[in-house]
Structures are given as C-alpha cells and as structure tokens.
Amino acid sequence: MNKNTDLPDTISIFPLGGALLLPRARLPLHIFEPRYLQMVEDALKTDERLIGMIQPNEVSGRGGNGLQTIGCAGRITQFSETEDGRYMITLGGMSRFRVVNEVEGFSPYRKCDVSWDGFERDLGRDEEDAGFNRENFLDLLGRYFDAQGLSADWDTMKEAEDELLINSLSMMLELDPEDKQALLEAPSLVTRRETLVTLIEYALRGGSDEGVMQ
C-alpha cells in the first residue's frame, strides 16, 4: 500500500480503447466478458474496489497486448446485475497512475504494479480554471456540435463547474484514442481545456474527420 495515497501498489487493469476516466468523474460500464466479470467480482471483495482503466497501446510488430504508460483508477460506486449475468457498474475516478510493470500470474484479467507519484492533485479538491472564457468556449463547442449533428443541454453547460464541464466533454466526445490519452495526461485542468480546444478547432478545420468544416 502506498503510504502517501493509501492506494494499493497493484491493481487490476481494464484496457479499453477510447474509454476515458478522469479523477472525480464518473464512467458507466457494461461488463459482459467472463474475465472482466471475474475482475469486477474480485474488486468488490476488496476495501478499495478499484479498477484501473487504461488505453491499449498497439505497437507495430509487438502484437496487440501493449498498454499506455498512464491510466486512471476508479472505485466501483454503483453495481447491478442483469438477468443474463452481465454487470452494469459505475466507476468514480480516484487518481491517475503510472504503470511500473505487468504482474504475471494465473488471473484471467491483467494486473499491474503501479505508481501514484506525481498525481497527488487528483486526490484533492476540484480544480478551477481562472482563465476559462466560457462564452467563447461554448460558441466553439456549438459550432462543433452543429458540424457533428449533436445536441446538448446548453443551460446545464452554462451552469456546470469548470472541471465537471471540461472533464465530462473530454470523456464524452468521440475522439481518437491518442487524443483521449493526451487529455488524460494533461497535467492540469487548464492544459486539458487547452488541449480540448485544440482538438475541436482541428476537427472544425477538417482535421482527420472528413466532411467536417468550419
């Protein structure tokens, strides 16, 4: 157990491309693969109830079992079982972590030794963004939503706290896995907002999304 964080040094890992969990945010998950059903059951038996969400990192010539270096651990805060044995869970984001090494063993799911060092801020209070120009941001977001054919509850977005708004959008928007990873690794809410703005502007200019123009 890490003395500075009271978080375990080894956690179960759920590699899921495109899925992003951030500290103090919530991620609903539908669990149906047998190995991950077992992972959830095992996590529920522990005091921490943690699962580490991480992006796969497929490296050419090395197979498809690679992992990104940084992920985010979430605590199971909601749990329900369907009639056919699937699980519906919600993870509450606790802290990002850095993979130290993968643990070899007989578990059907993957486990890693991790370090929580450098992510102490994740366990603190909500972050604020003093330089956040919400009006300009929502204008940009509106143009992006129009281009993508998306709808939104704009009244809620106008009233949401800075961190809730930026983190929720980072998790919700359809972005490439490497872009999701960049948002995860942003060292502060300010840099995450700046990264998100850059990605939205890139998409509006055409970017890699065909047919999306400003």
Side-chain angles (χ1 to χ4, degrees):
M1 190 75 71
N2 187 300
K3 295 180 180 178
N4 296 324
T5 63
D6 289 330
L7 295 172
D9 297 320
T10 302
I11 60 174
S12 57
I13 295 293
F14 190 4
L16 188 59
L20 176 63
L21 176 63
L22 293 167
R24 293 177 294 275
R26 297 187 180 278
L27 177 67
L29 290 170
H30 172 203
I31 309 296
F32 54 89
E33 286 190 47
R35 57 179 167 168
Y36 296 126
L37 294 172
Q38 183 65 55
M39 178 186 67
V40 170
E41 292 171 3
D42 290 347
L44 288 170
K45 296 174 184 176
T46 68
D47 292 337
E48 299 86 9
R49 295 186 291 180
L50 290 183
I51 292 174
M53 299 300 300
I54 196 164
Q55 298 278 337
N57 184 19
E58 297 184 7
V59 180
S60 179
R62 297 185 183 177
N65 294 321
L67 299 172
Q68 290 285 356
T69 304
I70 295 174
C72 183
R75 177 181 174 87
I76 299 175
T77 57
Q78 292 183 329
F79 168 88
S80 63
E81 184 176 3
T82 64
E83 291 183 0
D84 59 356
R86 292 172 289 124
Y87 295 154
M88 309 297 291
I89 68 171
T90 298
L91 293 182
M94 295 289 293
S95 173
R96 288 169 292 177
F97 60 84
R98 189 179 303 274
V99 173
V100 176
N101 59 264
E102 188 160 356
V103 177
E104 299 295 333
F106 298 102
S107 170
Y109 53 87
R110 301 168 75 173
K111 295 182 179 181
C112 287
D113 292 330
V114 300
S115 171
W116 310 95
D117 294 343
F119 300 115
E120 290 80 9
R121 180 186 294 182
D122 292 355
L123 297 168
R125 301 174 61 182
D126 290 4
E127 289 189 68
E128 297 181 355
D129 184 351
F132 185 29
N133 187 321
R134 187 174 296 241
E135 183 178 354
N136 288 351
F137 178 79
L138 291 179
D139 177 69
L140 176 70
L141 190 65
R143 288 185 282 130
Y144 175 79
F145 273 38
D146 286 343
Q148 298 286 344
L150 301 173
S151 60
D153 183 344
W154 296 106
D155 289 337
T156 298
M157 288 194 183
K158 289 177 183 177
E159 300 298 327
E161 298 292 334
D162 296 349
E163 183 179 76
L164 177 61
L165 177 61
I166 298 302
N167 286 356
S168 295
L169 288 168
S170 297
M171 294 171 60
M172 177 189 71
L173 295 182
E174 294 288 338
L175 300 169
D176 292 337
E178 57 267 28
D179 296 333
K180 294 275 190 177
Q181 189 67 25
L183 290 166
L184 173 68
E185 296 186 15
S188 69
L189 183 63
V190 173
T191 52
R192 184 170 297 125
R193 183 255 301 169
E194 292 171 344
T195 301
L196 185 60
V197 166
T198 298
L199 293 171
I200 292 172
E201 290 176 339
Y202 180 71
L204 286 170
R205 288 195 301 269
S208 59
D209 299 325
E210 296 181 7
V212 179
M213 298 297 292
Q214 190 167 6

